[in-house]
Amino acid sequence: MSFFEFDKEILDISHKALELCKEKFSEINEVSEYNSQKVLKAFIDCNVSERHFNFTTGYGYSDCGREKLDELFARIFNTEDALVRLNFTSGTHALCTALFGILRPGDKILSLTGNLYDTMHNIIDCQNQNLGSLKDFNILFEYLNYDNNIYENIKNKLSNNFKAVYIQKSRGYSLRDSLSCEDIKKLINFVKNINPEIIVIVDNCYGEFVEKIEPSDCGADLTVGSLIKNPGGGIAPSGGYIVGKKKYIDMCASRFIAPGLGKEIGSNPYGYRDIFMGIFNAPKIVSESLKTAVFCACVFELLNFEVSPKYNQKRFDIVQSIILKKPKNMISFCKNIQSCSPVDSFVSPEPWDMPGYNHQVIMAAGNFISGSSIELSADGPIKEPYVIWLQGGTNFDMSKISILKSVSDLI
Ligand SMILES: *Cc1c(COP(=O)(O)O)cnc(C)c1O
């Protein structure tokens, strides 16, 4: 490692961690191999061809790249249909489209996994700012925590009329565990047993390709995510996806474009090559980011920090949290991660008031795609217990350097 110098103490920890991580790494490789074959087979079965990468303009009638991409995602996620669009600005935008797509005034929706990811709060209730949140349209969100009483609580709640339930697979900025697809399948079977008509929406952000199956294999009606996370493979420059039942995808497309137009139009003057390449590479890239998370957990455990998940725990998303206990540790952690980034390594991150978040947030991300969190990135709101969430890492050999650097001021 002659390009980067580390103290012997750090190198010893690194060797020890790599030894301890061996078994986890081989599990990760096995899932990656399975998902890589799944994705390759889908490309072949869909007859993807160079013409599908071409750009279109204007209305984009019969844009074959757009149509092929929807077909490909539907095949990979095992669903009837898909809406994959570069002009979904973010995962939040795709989730917002799904919610407004299927819910109507007077409807109620129940979260089975507690409060939602921070950027979703204004969509649910914008606190009388008249931004057109669900609440402004008389659509009500209610919450159950995913705890030991969840099944009992669901049974009591669902006797009221709920149109839909919402499940967030990943932990987001919380310290609860992420849900496995088995957990999700159990929840879905339970709610559909009570009410077969209920619509299940799953926020799959950070979850794609971490397991061999997806929520869409487990009975979810709509599964939603961001293309600057896992399924974009670090290559898709923007975008999001919704996959699921055709009738619900049509409703989402109506909301996204316009009623009566739906999936029929939508051009892309940029072209589709990067999105195809991104999903093609995604299983491997996700495995690199999982190795980064496992290694990071192990290093910090060796240094007696509390981490979640533990390095040898089962993982159902790519997110790693580290309880750093002090604001100053969060800041030094982020500065050190940033200093090993391929882009903007000379920048020094500071806490700031990020739109959509209630506390100041600090963030390290020297990435090729702005805000991409399948590339190595770390962030956290500056509030007790001063937790950093680290995710991504498209190349474990490089991420390892960043992790080793991140502990240099903490030892
Ligand atoms: C990232 C994320 C979102 C929102 O995605 P953005 O692309 O940041 O808008 C929603 N839910 C979860 C669990 C996420 O991790």
Side-chain angles (χ1 to χ4, degrees):
M1 270 211 255
S2 52
F3 297 102
F4 294 87
E5 300 292 338
F6 290 104
D7 293 346
K8 180 163 180 311
E9 191 184 355
I10 292 181
L11 290 177
D12 287 347
I13 289 169
S14 174
H15 287 141
K16 209 163 163 186
L18 283 175
E19 204 51 48
L20 288 168
C21 292
K22 266 191 180 148
E23 199 182 317
K24 277 287 146 194
F25 280 20
S26 81
E27 285 173 33
I28 291 167
N29 287 341
E30 203 232 316
V31 174
S32 160
E33 182 176 0
Y34 179 91
N35 284 329
S36 296
Q37 291 185 17
K38 185 202 288 188
V39 167
L40 175 60
K41 184 70 165 56
F43 268 79
I44 295 165
D45 290 345
C46 288
N47 291 323
V48 174
S49 170
E50 194 174 359
R51 71 195 168 90
H52 299 124
F53 306 154
N54 287 343
F55 69 90
T56 55
T57 57
Y59 294 124
Y61 288 117
S62 54
D63 174 333
C64 71
R66 185 190 74 221
E67 290 168 359
K68 188 54 78 178
L69 201 54
D70 287 347
E71 184 190 338
L72 180 69
F73 268 65
R75 202 169 282 257
I76 292 168
F77 284 90
N78 188 23
T79 55
E80 291 174 5
D81 206 353
L83 186 69
V84 187
R85 294 294 180 274
L86 192 67
N87 39 8
F88 274 130
T89 325
S90 63
T92 306
H93 182 193
L95 285 160
C96 181
T97 304
L99 290 169
F100 277 97
I102 61 158
L103 297 169
R104 299 291 178 266
D107 285 346
K108 288 194 299 182
I109 174 167
L110 181 66
S111 165
L112 308 183
T113 46
N115 209 343
L116 275 56
Y117 189 77
D118 296 51
T119 57
M120 299 300 294
H121 296 174
N122 276 320
I123 298 171
I124 293 158
D125 178 1
C126 64
Q127 314 285 346
N128 297 321
Q129 296 175 77
N130 197 22
L131 301 175
S133 64
L134 289 169
K135 183 142 180 257
D136 296 341
F137 288 90
N138 191 25
I139 298 166
L140 290 188
F141 232 100
E142 292 190 39
Y143 306 87
L144 294 175
N145 282 328
Y146 186 72
D147 57 22
N148 291 332
N149 303 324
I150 184 70
Y151 288 98
E152 193 57 38
N153 291 339
I154 291 175
K155 209 157 69 189
N156 294 334
K157 269 280 179 204
L158 285 194
S159 53
N160 300 311
N161 255 340
F162 279 91
K163 176 78 166 288
V165 297
Y166 187 97
I167 298 170
Q168 182 181 305
K169 186 179 200 315
S170 172
R171 60 190 39 220
Y173 284 134
S174 79
L175 287 173
R176 73 161 167 85
D177 287 338
S178 49
L179 272 69
S180 70
C181 283
E182 278 308 316
D183 298 330
I184 290 174
K185 190 190 263 174
K186 222 174 123 192
L187 280 175
I188 294 176
N189 288 341
F190 192 80
V191 298
K192 295 256 179 185
N193 224 351
I194 297 172
N195 176 4
E197 298 301 311
I198 207 154
I199 304 167
V200 179
I201 305 177
V202 178
D203 173 355
N204 200 27
C205 285
Y206 287 140
E208 299 91 351
F209 304 124
V210 173
E211 301 179 73
K212 290 181 181 174
I213 55 172
E214 301 292 335
S216 47
D217 292 305
C218 303
D221 296 295
L222 290 174
T223 300
V224 187
S226 162
L227 294 187
I228 61 168
K229 294 181 178 173
N230 306 18
I235 300 171
S238 186
Y241 74 89
I242 307 176
V243 292
K245 292 225 173 77
K246 184 173 184 324
K247 67 174 171 181
Y248 300 132
I249 293 291
D250 283 342
M251 291 164 88
C252 295
S254 277
R255 166 73 197 194
F256 182 55
I257 305 289
L261 294 176
K263 290 188 70 179
E264 300 301 317
I265 66 169
S267 65
N268 173 359
Y270 175 94
Y272 295 95
R273 183 189 314 274
D274 291 355
I275 309 182
F276 280 103
M277 280 180 75
I279 187 78
F280 178 74
N281 282 287
K284 195 72 187 176
I285 295 296
V286 169
S287 79
E288 296 290 293
S289 76
L290 280 168
K291 287 175 186 173
T292 303
V294 169
F295 179 74
C296 175
C298 193
V299 165
F300 278 83
E301 279 179 70
L302 289 170
L303 291 169
N304 293 317
F305 280 89
E306 206 181 314
V307 301
S308 170
K310 303 240 184 289
Y311 86 91
N312 58 0
Q313 216 175 320
K314 277 209 178 313
R315 280 166 200 268
F316 309 114
D317 64 19
I318 63 166
V319 182
Q320 179 63 48
S321 50
I322 311 145
I323 301 183
L324 288 173
K325 295 181 282 202
K326 294 175 195 161
K328 121 175 171 318
N329 289 347
M330 291 180 78
I331 294 167
S332 88
F333 180 95
C334 287
K335 285 189 192 302
N336 282 320
I337 292 279
Q338 184 77 34
S339 74
C340 292
S341 302
V343 182
D344 291 337
S345 59
F346 51 87
V347 165
S348 187
E350 300 288 345
W352 69 300
D353 298 302
M354 192 177 167
Y357 294 85
N358 291 331
H359 292 81
Q360 282 208 315
V361 174
I362 185 151
M363 197 166 265
N367 294 343
F368 294 92
I369 290 155
S370 178
S372 161
S373 46
I374 185 63
E375 298 177 69
L376 187 66
S377 52
D379 44 76
I382 309 273
K383 64 177 183 192
E384 289 208 45
Y386 304 109
V387 183
I388 274 290
W389 278 264
L390 174 125
Q391 61 274 315
T394 54
N395 178 320
F396 173 66
D397 296 331
M398 295 178 184
S399 307
K400 194 173 76 181
I401 300 294
S402 305
I403 303 295
L404 296 180
K405 176 77 174 169
S406 79
V407 303
S408 56
D409 293 332
L410 299 173
I411 284 181

